[in-house]
Amino acid sequence: MKQGTTILTLDNGYHLWTNTQGQGDIHLLCLHGGPGGTHEYWENFGEKLADLGVQVHMYDQLGSFYSDQPDYNDPEIAAKYLTTDYFLGEVEEVRQKLGLDNFYLIGQSWGGALTMLYALKYGQHLKGAIVSSMIDNIDEYVVHINKVREETLPVEAVAYMKRCENEGTWDDPQYQQYVDILNRNFVDRRQPPAISHLISTMATPVYNAFQGDNEFVVTGKLKDFDLRKQIQNITVPTLLTFGQHETMPLSSALRMSEQIPNARLETTPNGGHHHMMDNPDVYFEHLEKFIKDVEGGHYQP
């Protein structure tokens, strides 16, 4: 399979940036978070998994970074492409156009939601699923994220944030400073310079439509995400991997590991929502063990 960058033309006429790293017969397709994030935290996966013979395929979803940016100000375009069903279908189209089958699918955060949805609808194509820092519903996330905010910030800071949220003054400088404190504690604990940019690379129209202004409120379409009655139907070997200092509740992750028949739960010490960067040694130890166990035919949840 071709290494490096390939631009895929989708059936809808838009173009997606894709990139393949690594050599071997094992294939891993990576779904970034956000929604509206980028592929960047997958860039070293080919190198990290080289000893297993893994080809790592990553792409920027429609609207994100190097891929085409639709005009979401057009109501018809927004209605058609800013939906979970569109992005799930996009995963399957990318799989087909890259020629992948019997492969591993990994998703971070929002990408983890897509991974669960893909395993439910298209599980026959999967050898294994890796859900990184995502639970099966948003209700439990909202309860947890409010709890950690109240435990981390002074009472007056939480009250200030809630006042801004009620007023819709998301760009308030003090509010954003509090968001930065929470990000440093629960999202990017290491603050890695490797993915820093002079400008934001977040596709804000996509992020705002699904999530809202930041990770600590949910005002968009993801409010209704809930797979709690379906996840027992995910039958492929599944790795659930979370940081120990997460935006996601570990109690929900534990419940999921008991409900998904072939799920294994691993947590990464001193890791936040992006624990593949916060503590990569432990993260990749868990990921390599999962792939080795499945490939060797001796996987146990």
Side-chain angles (χ1 to χ4, degrees):
M1 186 170 289
K2 180 188 172 188
Q3 299 290 300
T5 295
T6 299
I7 304 299
L8 296 184
T9 301
L10 299 176
D11 293 345
N12 60 28
Y14 287 117
H15 302 88
L16 296 187
W17 179 94
T18 77
N19 188 274
T20 294
Q21 301 289 333
Q23 302 282 347
D25 297 327
I26 303 170
H27 294 273
L28 175 67
L29 179 61
C30 306
L31 308 178
H32 65 69
T38 81
H39 69 278
E40 290 173 288
Y41 41 65
W42 308 122
E43 288 179 340
N44 66 339
F45 273 56
E47 175 184 309
K48 292 289 189 179
L49 300 174
D51 59 328
L52 297 185
V54 179
Q55 289 196 55
V56 177
H57 313 275
M58 66 201 85
Y59 71 99
D60 287 332
Q61 297 160 22
L62 187 65
S64 292
F65 208 28
Y66 293 148
S67 291
D68 277 355
Q69 319 276 314
D71 180 8
Y72 295 120
N73 290 318
D74 183 325
E76 290 187 10
I77 291 177
K80 185 173 183 179
Y81 295 111
L82 290 179
T83 71
T84 301
D85 285 345
Y86 165 73
F87 283 106
L88 176 59
E90 183 182 86
V91 179
E92 172 59 7
E93 187 172 355
V94 169
R95 178 199 73 81
Q96 293 178 18
K97 292 188 183 303
L98 290 179
L100 303 178
D101 210 351
N102 198 31
F103 69 106
Y104 295 89
L105 183 65
I106 185 171
Q108 162 69 19
S109 193
W110 153 253
L114 291 176
T115 297
M116 286 183 272
L117 289 165
Y118 190 92
L120 287 167
K121 187 171 183 178
Y122 301 105
Q124 70 272 21
H125 297 297
L126 293 178
K127 188 183 290 186
I130 302 105
V131 178
S132 187
S133 293
M134 186 63 192
I135 63 169
D136 55 4
N137 74 97
I138 293 299
D139 292 342
E140 292 172 359
Y141 167 80
V142 170
V143 170
H144 176 71
I145 211 66
N146 276 286
K147 180 173 179 285
V148 299
R149 178 163 76 169
E150 290 169 0
E151 291 173 348
T152 304
L153 297 175
V155 172
E156 59 272 20
V158 175
Y160 189 93
M161 292 189 77
K162 289 182 177 179
R163 186 162 63 249
C164 289
E165 288 158 11
N166 289 333
E167 296 170 354
T169 53
W170 304 105
D171 57 352
D172 179 271
Q174 184 61 62
Y175 178 85
Q176 291 299 327
Q177 284 185 26
Y178 291 141
V179 171
D180 287 343
I181 292 171
L182 294 170
N183 281 336
R184 287 194 294 272
N185 278 275
F186 300 102
V187 180
D188 290 311
R189 290 174 62 84
R190 238 178 107 191
Q191 295 286 293
I195 61 167
S196 296
H197 294 270
L198 297 177
I199 60 171
S200 172
T201 59
M202 177 64 72
T204 52
V206 183
Y207 186 78
N208 294 161
F210 282 90
Q211 173 78 14
D213 175 79
N214 62 76
E215 293 295 284
F216 303 92
V217 292
V218 183
T219 58
K221 298 178 180 182
L222 278 175
K223 284 188 300 185
D224 301 322
F225 178 74
D226 192 343
L227 297 180
R228 280 174 286 189
K229 294 181 180 179
Q230 301 177 53
I231 59 165
Q232 74 275 4
N233 297 321
I234 296 175
T235 58
V236 298
T238 302
L239 174 63
L240 307 172
T241 173
F242 290 78
Q244 286 189 344
H245 302 275
E246 265 282 358
T247 57
M248 298 287 167
L250 296 182
S251 58
S252 300
L254 179 60
R255 172 186 54 74
M256 289 169 61
S257 73
E258 295 168 348
Q259 288 181 268
I260 299 173
N262 290 307
R264 174 187 293 177
L265 174 62
E266 301 281 14
T267 58
T268 300
N270 199 32
H273 197 51
H274 291 152
H275 54 295
M276 73 275 283
M277 292 185 292
D278 292 332
N279 192 346
D281 290 345
V282 174
Y283 181 92
F284 283 104
E285 179 184 330
H286 292 156
L287 180 56
E288 283 205 24
K289 185 177 189 308
F290 173 75
I291 295 174
K292 283 180 179 177
D293 287 351
V294 176
E295 290 296 312
H298 46 74
Y299 172 78
Q300 294 291 329

